[in-house]
Amino acid sequence: QEIIDSIEEVYFSSDSFDTVQYELEKLPPDLNLLELEEYRDKLKRQQAAVSKRVADLILEKQPSYVKELERVTSLQTNLQLAAVICTNARRQLRSAKEGFTEASLGLLANQRRRQLLTGLLKSLRTIKPLQRTDVRLSEMLEEEDYSGAIQLCLECQKAASTFKHYNCISELNSKLQDTLEQIEEQLDVALSKTCKHFDVSHYTKVQLAYKLLGKTQTAMDQLHMHFTQAIHNTVFQVVLGYVELCAGNADTKFQKMPYKDLCTHITTDSYIPCLTDLCKALWEVMLSYHLTMQWHDEHYKEEETTPGPDNNNNHESTVGRSYVKKKLEHGLTRIWQDVQLKVKAYLLGTDVSNFKYDDFIVVLDVISRLMQVGEEFCGSKSELLQESIKRQSVNYFKNYHRTRLEELRMFLENETWELCPVKSNFSIAQLHEFRFMGQCRSPSVSPSRQPESTEPVELCLFEQYLQGGNPFEMQIDNKEEETEDVLASNGYESDELEKSVYQDYDSDSDVPEELKQDYVDEQTGDGPVKSVSRETLRSRKRSDYNAPILTNTTLNVIRLVGKYMQMMNILKPIAFDVIHCVSQLFDYYLYAVYTFFGRNDMYESSGLGLISSRLRTTLSRIQESLIDMEAGGENTGPHASPEERKEKVPSPHLSQLVILMSSDTLYGLAERVVATESLVFLAEQFEFLQPHLDTTMPSAKKPFLQQFYSQTVSTASELRKPIYWIVAAKAIDYEQMLLLMAGVKWDIKEIMSQHNVYVDVLLKEFEKFNQRLGDVSKIVRIPLPVSNVLWEHCIRLANRTLVEGYANVKKCSNEGRALMQLDFQQFLMKLEKLTDLRPIPDKEFVETYIKAYYLTENDMEQFIKNHREYSMKQLTNLVNVCLGSHINKKARQKLLAAIDDIDRPKR
């Protein structure tokens, strides 16, 4: 135990301890054999002790070892047995696997996989056309099968939601959504196309598509937006086209201009074609809207007659229908408002005041037709259009009327008052300017040319042009046809007449063509005949003897009135302005005739009451309101303002070619007859037109028209008296008669059976006058009223001369008075053979004066008071001649005082 204890501790440290290495390292540097051997023995002893101890321990543990070894052997045997069992089990398992698992369960697994693959294949088969849907959709859209495309798209979306677990399908879903949006965009474009050219099948497709999308109401909103856009684009393109066409290669950027500014660049030449095209284009848009409304009405009627099974849906569709209906009805006025605004901007963009009349009438006619369209489209009174056309018309009309008045003055100043040859059946209705009266019997109806129909006017235009055509195209065509028709049926009868109509006709842009229509051949309707035999002409002259007396100027005034009335008919708002101007034409003509032929200072002194107070009032009114006295160098009254003067015309001057003071022409009687009777003819035409003017006149202004007719038109014939009086006053030598009468002795003592010479001289003068009247009537027909007025004037003047002659008598006896009566009776008897005028005018004037000689003092006083028509001198002479015979000096004083009393107020 001691030896073991002496073993160094390090030997027990670990199994890996290298004892040899340890001992060798311990050796000292100087080796000593003895010490080494001694140390070796020590180590040997230690080893032997350890070995002995180990052997002892082994012996001690021997039974445990044997026991453990037995257990190990037993375990080994068990393990070998387990290995055999495992081997057997494995062999049996392998046979089970081969015999059962691999055969039966493998089949089942394959069947399951097959089923899965079949499902997959089915999905793939569905996915494949889904992937190709976009191709089919684009094909359908090209074919405009919008509803089909939407249905397909919605079905695809439904299918896609079923297969959304596939990656490719989730992408397809978003693609389909994009496609649906694209279809909606295309639908919107398709919807916008219906605004210009409505096509039933196309619109039905679009509406069906919107219904599938459930966006009918949205579609309506879009549609109205498109219509507004269509109106703007249409008018802009039309105007732009014309502006660019007329501007040529100008660099101006017209495309960028606002529409309003663009309208100001339209030239005068392109104004009407552009306006017509504008209206045609707008008509297309309005017709499309009208058809759209019609489509919805018919469609809803069908839906109401065949209701669907689902009540809820029915309710929804009813709400939708009422929304659409309201929207469409509201849209009518909105669209018409847009149309009006566009046309208004166009109308006011150009100054039309210098247009030719016919061009302006075309503008009015187009606008009038457009207003008629508006009336039928939405029952609108087109206030905007009316206001703008009124502005343009008043502007144009003032300018036009001013020029026409100046022109009329020029005509009157160059007029030689010769007869204008027209047929005996001439009527103003045959003139081209009055054609509109035939087409438009009632002035309340628009005069735009339209075929007369017995159908109601409502929707007439839309029904009329439903199948095609355009109301604005028709109107222009008709105008051309009509003009050709007029030219064909109205020709001259011969070159001679053609010359006679042209002479004295002053140059005017549209005179020649218009004048071709002056000589109207109503019966035959043939064109101009160039060669006519003299016999035919003679017979014509005889048949035309009763033709109305008128001059080229009268015809010009009548034509102007026709033109004015045309304008007034088309444009009611300026009717009063136009009628006022029409009245001015008549006023000026009347004033000119009076100034040229009737103005004389001797009227008042004649005491014949030649100018009635009504005529005097009329003439002074015309002079005040229409005649520019300053221009004529007559400074009467205060100076007028430039505006007032602008409205007036200088007083006309008679042409120097007209000679009125020559006794050879009976003091211009032919010219006087032509002038006066043409005025009377003009007045008759005005009377004929009165009902027509009356219906057009606004009711508030009707008194003006009535006053014009009662105070001006009706006074035309009254001008005969002053005008023909001058002829009557100069045609017979009344002075010579007074001298002859002065040489007659009246204080004779016996009753004479023979009348005096002065009566024969006077009757000779009358015969000469009658003959000269006959000569004049070969040149120009003298109507009965004219010849009556002339004879009346001559006889009244002769009778007044007789009284004057009798009043110059210093001494007179009863026999002398009897001779006066004899002379007068002789004069009357012969005069009655010369004239048909009955009763002889102023017969009593002479007879009463002669008989007054026999009156007593009291009767004479009464006579002086009652007979104011005799002059003071005549009455005084009567008293003086009676002095001594049956009136004394006292009575004479009293009677002279009475005469003086009568004369005093006059002074």
Side-chain angles (χ1 to χ4, degrees):
Q1 186 63 39
E2 283 173 7
I3 294 164
I4 289 167
D5 289 340
S6 68
I7 296 169
E8 287 179 50
E9 196 69 42
V10 75
Y11 281 94
F12 300 103
S13 61
S14 68
D15 291 343
S16 61
F17 177 67
D18 189 351
T19 50
V20 178
Q21 182 76 23
Y22 176 72
E23 288 299 335
L24 283 175
E25 285 173 354
K26 257 176 66 178
L27 286 178
D30 300 323
L31 295 174
N32 186 335
L33 187 61
L34 284 174
E35 280 175 11
L36 279 171
E37 278 180 351
E38 192 179 321
Y39 186 62
R40 188 187 66 175
D41 291 341
K42 184 185 173 185
L43 287 171
K44 273 184 177 179
R45 276 195 306 280
Q46 282 176 346
Q47 186 191 15
V50 167
S51 299
K52 191 177 183 294
R53 173 64 59 89
V54 167
D56 288 347
L57 282 168
I58 288 168
L59 285 173
E60 195 179 310
K61 301 286 180 188
Q62 179 69 25
S64 300
Y65 167 73
V66 172
K67 202 176 177 182
E68 193 64 40
L69 193 66
E70 278 173 8
R71 279 177 66 205
V72 167
T73 312
S74 165
L75 182 63
Q76 190 179 2
T77 312
N78 282 344
L79 281 172
Q80 281 170 344
L81 180 64
V84 171
I85 290 166
C86 276
T87 308
N88 288 340
R90 279 189 177 172
R91 190 171 58 249
Q92 284 165 350
L93 268 173
R94 189 162 52 249
S95 65
K97 181 184 170 187
E98 286 167 4
F100 173 72
T101 311
E102 282 185 1
S104 306
L105 291 181
L107 274 174
L108 285 172
N110 283 347
Q111 177 64 23
R112 184 167 169 273
R113 192 178 300 122
R114 186 177 156 195
Q115 280 176 335
L116 284 170
L117 286 172
T118 312
L120 181 63
L121 191 64
K122 198 176 177 185
S123 296
L124 286 173
R125 278 194 182 131
T126 312
I127 289 165
K128 189 182 177 184
L130 277 178
Q131 291 282 34
R132 292 184 57 203
T133 310
D134 54 342
V135 182
R136 178 73 192 115
L137 279 172
S138 57
E139 281 172 12
M140 283 172 126
L141 288 176
E142 273 176 39
E143 292 163 13
E144 292 188 346
D145 181 7
Y146 303 109
S147 50
I150 289 167
Q151 260 173 327
L152 181 62
C153 210
L154 292 172
E155 281 169 18
C156 289
Q157 274 190 322
K158 203 174 176 184
S161 66
T162 317
F163 300 108
K164 63 182 173 207
H165 47 283
Y166 296 112
N167 283 346
C168 61
I169 291 297
S170 63
E171 283 171 25
L172 178 73
N173 217 346
S174 60
K175 192 177 176 184
L176 280 173
Q177 194 55 43
D178 292 346
T179 310
L180 203 59
E181 283 168 19
Q182 190 186 336
I183 292 173
E184 273 191 55
E185 280 170 27
Q186 288 220 18
L187 253 184
D188 199 39
V189 173
L191 188 66
S192 70
K193 283 180 188 171
T194 63
C195 296
K196 284 187 188 175
H197 304 289
F198 184 85
D199 178 60
V200 177
S201 59
H202 177 78
Y203 189 72
T204 311
K205 282 181 193 171
V206 173
Q207 279 298 330
L208 194 62
Y210 271 113
K211 197 173 180 183
L212 282 170
L213 286 171
K215 293 190 175 180
T216 315
Q217 294 187 10
T218 316
M220 263 303 110
D221 300 340
Q222 286 294 99
L223 184 67
H224 281 81
M225 210 171 70
H226 287 314
F227 266 106
T228 308
Q229 195 61 35
I231 289 170
H232 176 75
N233 293 349
T234 306
V235 294
F236 190 82
Q237 286 310 318
V238 170
V239 176
L240 180 69
Y242 275 94
V243 169
E244 285 182 340
L245 187 74
C246 298
N249 300 322
D251 295 333
T252 321
K253 296 275 184 288
F254 291 120
Q255 290 272 6
K256 306 267 169 63
M257 270 190 191
Y259 170 72
K260 211 169 184 178
D261 295 345
L262 196 64
C263 289
T264 58
H265 287 79
I266 285 285
T267 61
T268 313
D269 296 339
S270 57
Y271 188 82
I272 290 174
C274 181
L275 175 64
T276 313
D277 284 354
L278 203 63
C279 292
K280 281 183 192 173
L282 289 169
W283 161 261
E284 293 293 340
V285 176
M286 286 188 281
L287 183 64
S288 296
Y289 195 84
H290 174 75
L291 291 168
T292 306
M293 285 192 79
Q294 218 172 37
W295 184 92
H296 281 280
D297 286 347
E298 287 167 12
H299 198 65
Y300 293 153
K301 275 175 196 165
E302 279 175 30
E303 278 187 6
E304 279 166 19
T305 48
T306 53
D310 191 351
N311 290 332
N312 191 30
N313 277 1
N314 266 2
H315 174 67
E316 277 177 31
S317 65
T318 310
V319 171
R321 276 205 295 272
S322 66
Y323 175 82
V324 168
K325 198 174 179 186
K326 275 181 187 166
K327 189 83 180 168
L328 281 169
E329 283 167 3
H330 177 65
L332 276 172
T333 44
R334 241 184 63 192
I335 284 172
W336 179 240
Q337 197 69 359
D338 280 353
V339 168
Q340 282 193 88
L341 283 168
K342 299 295 178 196
V343 178
K344 179 186 175 181
Y346 180 82
L347 279 176
L348 299 178
T350 307
D351 178 19
V352 296
S353 60
N354 296 314
F355 270 34
K356 282 184 181 171
Y357 172 81
D358 287 339
D359 290 346
F360 190 69
I361 281 293
V362 172
V363 173
L364 287 189
D365 210 12
V366 170
I367 298 301
S368 156
R369 175 58 64 101
L370 188 63
M371 289 200 275
Q372 192 185 346
V373 169
E375 178 82 43
E376 290 179 15
F377 185 65
C378 61
S380 162
K381 292 287 170 225
S382 315
E383 287 83 1
L384 281 176
L385 277 180
Q386 281 195 358
E387 184 261 333
S388 53
I389 200 71
K390 184 179 178 181
R391 257 169 67 186
Q392 285 288 43
S393 299
V394 170
N395 184 13
Y396 174 82
F397 196 72
K398 278 185 178 169
N399 199 31
Y400 181 77
H401 179 61
R402 173 92 206 135
T403 318
R404 294 293 82 82
L405 271 179
E406 281 294 341
E407 210 173 75
L408 179 57
R409 179 169 78 100
M410 186 183 70
F411 267 92
L412 287 164
E413 290 186 347
N414 289 291
E415 181 61 76
T416 53
W417 302 101
E418 287 187 16
L419 204 56
C420 177
V422 288
K423 296 203 95 181
S424 53
N425 62 353
F426 171 76
S427 124
I428 61 166
Q430 295 159 358
L431 292 175
H432 167 63
E433 284 78 3
F434 289 92
R435 280 292 167 94
F436 72 93
M437 283 171 70
Q439 288 162 351
C440 168
R441 291 283 167 220
S442 153
S444 58
V445 178
S446 160
S448 40
R449 303 169 179 90
Q450 61 189 68
E452 288 193 13
S453 61
T454 49
E455 294 168 22
V457 180
E458 204 176 343
L459 291 183
C460 158
L461 283 175
F462 287 98
E463 285 166 13
Q464 211 172 317
Y465 300 104
L466 204 57
Q467 301 309 317
N470 199 302
F472 299 98
E473 237 161 37
M474 293 288 287
Q475 169 258 336
I476 298 298
D477 296 346
N478 278 1
K479 184 176 185 297
E480 285 163 13
E481 281 166 31
E482 204 170 274
T483 312
E484 284 162 18
D485 182 40
V486 168
L487 280 173
S489 65
N490 304 340
Y492 285 111
E493 297 299 316
S494 72
D495 291 345
E496 254 180 71
L497 289 171
E498 185 170 353
K499 283 175 198 159
S500 72
V501 170
Y502 268 122
Q503 91 193 32
D504 308 319
Y505 216 101
D506 211 283
S507 65
D508 181 35
S509 58
D510 54 354
V511 162
E513 260 192 43
E514 288 193 350
L515 266 180
K516 286 175 192 165
Q517 299 153 23
D518 287 353
Y519 204 87
V520 183
D521 192 343
E522 267 282 294
Q523 292 161 332
T524 60
D526 292 339
V529 182
K530 285 294 173 195
S531 57
V532 183
S533 67
R534 287 182 184 282
E535 286 74 19
T536 319
L537 270 175
R538 277 199 205 100
S539 66
R540 282 253 167 82
K541 275 182 184 166
R542 276 197 298 279
S543 71
D544 289 348
Y545 185 71
N546 292 321
I549 295 172
L550 62 142
T551 67
N552 292 326
T553 308
T554 326
L555 213 48
N556 188 48
V557 173
I558 291 170
R559 284 187 182 293
L560 273 181
V561 171
K563 286 179 175 181
Y564 282 23
M565 284 177 68
Q566 253 176 303
M567 205 179 287
M568 183 170 65
N569 257 319
I570 293 172
L571 212 75
K572 306 290 183 297
I574 65 158
F576 173 68
D577 301 88
V578 178
I579 289 180
H580 181 64
C581 293
V582 167
S583 75
Q584 285 190 342
L585 292 174
F586 186 83
D587 285 350
Y588 197 65
Y589 193 89
L590 180 128
Y591 186 80
V593 171
Y594 166 72
T595 313
F596 293 170
F597 302 103
R599 191 178 266 176
N600 199 301
D601 300 329
M602 293 192 291
Y603 295 147
E604 307 309 320
S605 60
S606 74
L608 292 168
L610 294 168
I611 298 187
S612 66
S613 60
R614 186 172 63 156
L615 180 57
R616 188 175 280 107
T617 311
T618 297
L619 288 166
S620 60
R621 176 188 62 76
I622 296 170
Q623 185 166 304
E624 201 176 297
S625 63
L626 187 62
I627 308 301
D628 184 2
M629 302 308 281
E630 291 171 43
E634 301 170 45
N635 291 324
T636 51
H639 288 287
S641 67
E643 279 75 27
E644 280 176 21
R645 279 194 65 182
K646 207 175 175 186
E647 301 293 317
K648 295 182 175 186
V649 199
S651 180
H653 302 290
L654 183 61
S655 167
Q656 291 177 340
L657 298 172
V658 182
I659 294 145
L660 298 178
M661 288 301 120
S662 164
S663 60
D664 300 342
T665 59
L666 207 51
Y667 307 95
L669 179 60
E671 287 85 349
R672 288 174 194 276
V673 168
V674 171
T676 317
E677 298 317 300
S678 67
L679 175 67
V680 172
F681 175 76
L682 192 59
E684 284 167 5
Q685 303 318 306
F686 268 77
E687 294 287 357
F688 166 70
L689 295 171
Q690 186 179 4
H692 203 84
L693 292 171
D694 199 55
T695 45
T696 332
M697 194 73 160
S699 51
K701 303 284 188 183
K702 280 190 179 174
F704 166 81
L705 192 66
Q706 285 153 6
Q707 192 177 10
F708 168 65
Y709 270 93
S710 63
Q711 298 203 348
T712 308
V713 178
S714 59
T715 58
S717 56
E718 290 180 21
L719 269 184
R720 283 172 174 157
K721 279 186 175 181
I723 289 173
Y724 297 132
W725 180 82
I726 299 168
V727 177
K730 292 180 181 289
I732 288 168
D733 192 350
Y734 304 104
E735 292 298 321
Q736 179 200 7
M737 201 167 78
L738 281 175
L739 289 170
L740 287 170
M741 288 175 80
V744 177
K745 202 166 185 266
W746 299 104
D747 55 345
I748 50 174
K749 297 295 179 205
E750 56 187 70
I751 291 174
M752 307 291 285
S753 60
Q754 183 59 40
H755 61 270
N756 282 306
V757 181
Y758 74 87
V759 176
D760 295 326
V761 173
L762 181 57
L763 287 165
K764 268 206 179 68
E765 286 277 311
F766 270 100
E767 281 169 14
K768 198 165 121 194
F769 171 70
N770 195 24
Q771 191 182 341
R772 287 165 74 190
L773 213 54
D775 293 342
V776 172
S777 70
K778 287 174 189 168
I779 304 165
V780 58
R781 174 173 71 85
I782 296 180
L784 190 62
V786 176
S787 105
N788 285 349
V789 166
L790 278 165
W791 277 101
E792 185 189 339
H793 279 335
C794 285
I795 296 166
R796 288 179 76 183
L797 282 165
N799 287 342
R800 274 169 160 64
T801 309
L802 287 171
V803 170
E804 190 62 27
Y806 297 151
N808 288 337
V809 175
K810 296 287 182 278
K811 288 179 181 177
C812 180
S813 62
N814 287 348
E815 289 80 7
R817 282 294 177 201
L819 179 58
M820 286 178 186
Q821 274 180 318
L822 175 69
D823 289 347
F824 187 56
Q825 290 308 317
Q826 176 67 20
F827 171 62
L828 288 180
M829 187 176 72
K830 289 281 173 59
L831 190 63
E832 282 175 351
K833 290 177 184 172
L834 286 174
T835 176
D836 295 330
L837 197 61
R838 299 289 183 276
I840 297 291
D842 279 359
K843 183 176 151 187
E844 292 78 14
F845 184 75
V846 184
E847 287 177 345
T848 310
Y849 189 79
I850 296 170
K851 288 172 186 172
Y853 176 79
Y854 303 109
L855 296 174
T856 61
E857 182 192 328
N858 290 340
D859 289 343
M860 180 69 86
E861 194 175 346
Q862 198 57 43
F863 176 86
I864 288 166
K865 284 178 185 167
N866 292 347
H867 292 272
R868 303 275 180 103
E869 67 267 25
Y870 298 108
S871 67
M872 242 186 99
K873 178 196 161 191
Q874 288 165 351
L875 292 170
T876 309
N877 178 271
L878 196 61
V879 172
N880 287 336
V881 170
C882 293
L883 179 71
S885 62
H886 50 275
I887 287 179
N888 56 32
K889 282 188 179 178
K890 191 181 174 189
R892 177 192 165 200
Q893 290 302 325
K894 189 179 169 189
L895 290 170
L896 287 176
I899 292 167
D900 202 42
D901 285 348
I902 290 166
D903 187 53
R904 198 170 288 124
K906 288 183 188 172
R907 286 178 292 179

